[in-house]
Amino acid sequence: MAETTNHGLTEQLELLGKILNLERRKQFDDSAISGGLEAFIRKRTEESRSRGEPVELLNELSLTFDDYENLPVQVRQQRVDQAERLIRNVTGQEPPQQPAQTDQPEQRTPSPTRKQTPARKPSRVQLNSLDDPVTKVPGVGENRQTQLAQLGVRTVRDLLYLVPRRHEDYSRLSPINSLRYNGEYTVRGRVVDVQENRTRNNARMITVTISDQSGSLPIIFFNPWVLKQLHQGVEIAVSGRVERVNSRPGLKNPEWEIIEGESIHTGRLVPFYPLVRGLFQKQVRNLTRRALDIARDYIVDPLTPAVRERHNLMDLGRALEALHYPSSMTEHRQARARLAFDEFLVLQYGLLRRKTEWQKQQGQSFPPDPDEVEFFVGSLPFRLTDAQRRSLDEILHDLEQDEPMSRLLQGDVGSGKTVVAAAAAHVVVSNGAQVAVLAPTEILAEQHAKTFEQIFRQLPAAKRPTATLLTGSTPTARRQEIDEGLADGSINVLIGTHAILEEHVDFQRLGLAIIDEQHRFGVRQRARLRSKGVQPDILVMTATPIPRSLALVLHGDLDVSIIDELPPGRQSIVTRRVAGRERSKVHQFIREQVTEGRQAFIIYPLVEESERLDVKAATSEAERLGSEVFPDLRVGLLHGRMKPAEKDEVMTQFRDREIDVLVATSVIEVGIDVPNASVMVIEGAERFGLSQLHQFRGRVGRGAAQSYCVLVTSDDAESGNSQRRLDAIVETQDGFRLAEVDLELRGPGEFFGTRQSGIPELAFAVLGDMITLNAARTEAQQIIDTDPELDLPEHRELKGAVQRFWIDGMGDLS
């Protein structure tokens, strides 16, 4: 090897020798060079490779210092010894001199018969708190810190709460002669042979053979690093799936560990964690084990013993231990149940606290005149359903109170929420105040303005509120007129988009803010609307059916009114499912409907062609349909990458019957009202969630004609969940039932974007767990009743948990 080295390499090795000598004097604490030995040698190797210099020796040194920062001190010393021997073989350097006794007078020269070992650092790491940086955990250097940060782990606490993706049961030891192909086994044996070979691709392959009293087992490793740890006589445990190795049962790259002390990689329920590039399961397990050990004395339970006993919950320290290293899956489930309760508790405390603080403020009272309300209801060209009337009564009761209203009006597609909101607005205007209606898009704002105008038109001029539309497209001159009308009170109801939130928009007296599809707005936007009045009443509307469990989480600070029946005379939408190979029949049906004067939607799940998903893309399909399938019809295109003005122009053309067939993506999911559209074709229907499919279907069936929804599936759409979704959408048009099924199938994260709604992510809590959710909500209410500021000593840790969950978790506790 010395023959292949050049002068530059020799200089590098001499420098490395000096660094290793310093590392020895520093008692192997990986501080001899900034960034650590592993990173230093890896960088030098890459630099030499880029210059075309030989790197065989440097590669061997890199393997020697692989994962050096995470090794025990004794093993680090062995690695330094090994590296120094390699360097001496090339450079001829003399072995490093040990420090003379006069240099360190406090140390005694050990007896020649005693083995010299470097002094260990104290085993107990001192923490200020669990929020200390993760670098306090032994083995976390600069590189590992960067890797852990990609997993969201920045503190010791984060590492304790790093959730394993799964556990594998490696607890049962099996004799080697009992192993069968494809089975998962854990075996304990002694190394009897280690051989290194090359594969056809010239990769290094290590074959380690172990034996127990029943036989021997070959194990293949492709990581040469095992050569430094496994040699004859070492006793190890291995866990993995049995495969064919050299025509006999064996293992390839199994989990393994040397038998010494507590087992965390084999012989037990073994955790498997999320990983990033360069980070391995063994390393993460070692770190979580060390974190649990050093944090044991710093874990303070936020739940009092009485609460734990009341709900049969284990203490927090034991729960964190069992989250990672449980003695059984039963104990692991109990640990997750405890941590789920904690999440629900701080979540519900925050929501209930927000509601309490809001209601403590002095609001405005808008007592309804019963005769005026009946006159308004009687002026409508239709009769309110029982559900609409019940919801309206609940809203009117809130308007009459002194504390601000905070209510969610939830109703299925076409259930008549807008007319209920208009009735509430009329009461507020009759009391001399103003109303703001905030919609997420211009087309929806225009639709609301048109609906409010139609409703108010039935009233006598003296009792008719003045409703005005404000969007981003409103001309400057008109905006000035609106500003003046709001200031002098001549404009009673302002309907618009985000333009309402601009600073120059000032109300004379804002009494009610109506927010349509609240989840489409961020936390700050909602707060800005509230700030435009003196504690105005808030009415949130949504056409997205939300299961009760999810409503308690997303809207736990709101009272809820539900419109759960459709107006009489609304036709059922015929829903059918067809395979992609029958698409020509669907196109023929569309042509027949257009011939009868109707219009059609065709929905595609992607905007551009994707090699990853075999899904038709709207952009290319619109061109093909217009030129090949419907050359005599007017085909339009609408997708999310168009500018807002372009979207509004297309929807206006479709609404005005200037487009026969509208090809679109999910941008048309919510709220667009085109009564003449009678056909909804959804391509790649298996790609959408149930809630989306239900919303798409709700875009038709708004006129007098019979309407149809056609679900076109890919020919290979046979997964269990997609089957259940499609079966459910065909079987029922009950949005709330579909929402329950959707939540079961997809989970809350996909069902509804919690971060956008100001709710932090939940790591343990399952939103379908109504028992735990209600129990935590009850406890949260009791705490708010007795100690709303969490000032009592027994609530000190809970106060910190609330702070971390809501503020650090980016939730809205305002």
Side-chain angles (χ1 to χ4, degrees), residues 624-641:
R624 190 185 71 83
L625 289 171
S627 60
E628 299 178 18
V629 181
F630 303 122
D632 54 332
L633 302 183
R634 297 166 297 179
V635 178
L637 173 64
L638 184 71
H639 61 70
R641 296 187 181 180

Side-chain angles (χ1 to χ4, degrees), residues 185-188 210 217 219 236-240 251 254-256 266:
Y185 296 93
T186 297
V187 175
R188 183 169 177 165
I210 65 171
L217 179 72
I219 307 168
I236 66 172
V238 293
S239 297
L251 299 174
E255 295 289 336
W256 66 277
T266 61

Side-chain angles (χ1 to χ4, degrees), residues 793-804:
E794 60 263 33
H795 291 150
R796 184 176 304 150
E797 188 64 23
L798 179 60
K799 190 171 188 175
V802 169
Q803 167 78 14
R804 288 188 298 273

Side-chain angles (χ1 to χ4, degrees), residues 266-281:
T266 61
R268 61 169 305 128
L269 284 169
V270 176
F272 282 77
Y273 297 91
L275 300 174
V276 295
R277 184 179 179 86
L279 190 62
F280 302 98
Q281 291 293 347

Side-chain angles (χ1 to χ4, degrees), residues 109-127:
T109 302
S111 166
T113 61
R114 293 180 59 194
K115 181 180 179 181
Q116 296 186 44
T117 58
R120 290 180 65 104
K121 292 184 177 180
S123 60
R124 181 173 294 278
V125 176
Q126 298 296 316
L127 299 177

Side-chain angles (χ1 to χ4, degrees), residues 8-9 14 81 96 124 141 163 217 318 329 352 359 400 516 563 577 602 615 622 632 659 668 735 782:
L9 176 60
E14 290 175 349
D81 291 342
R124 181 173 294 278
V163 185
L217 179 72
R318 182 185 165 201
M329 285 310 296
L352 292 170
Q359 292 181 339
E400 191 172 7
D516 189 22
I563 303 178
R577 173 183 169 186
I602 302 180
V615 180
D632 54 332
I659 292 174
I668 60 93
Q782 291 179 4

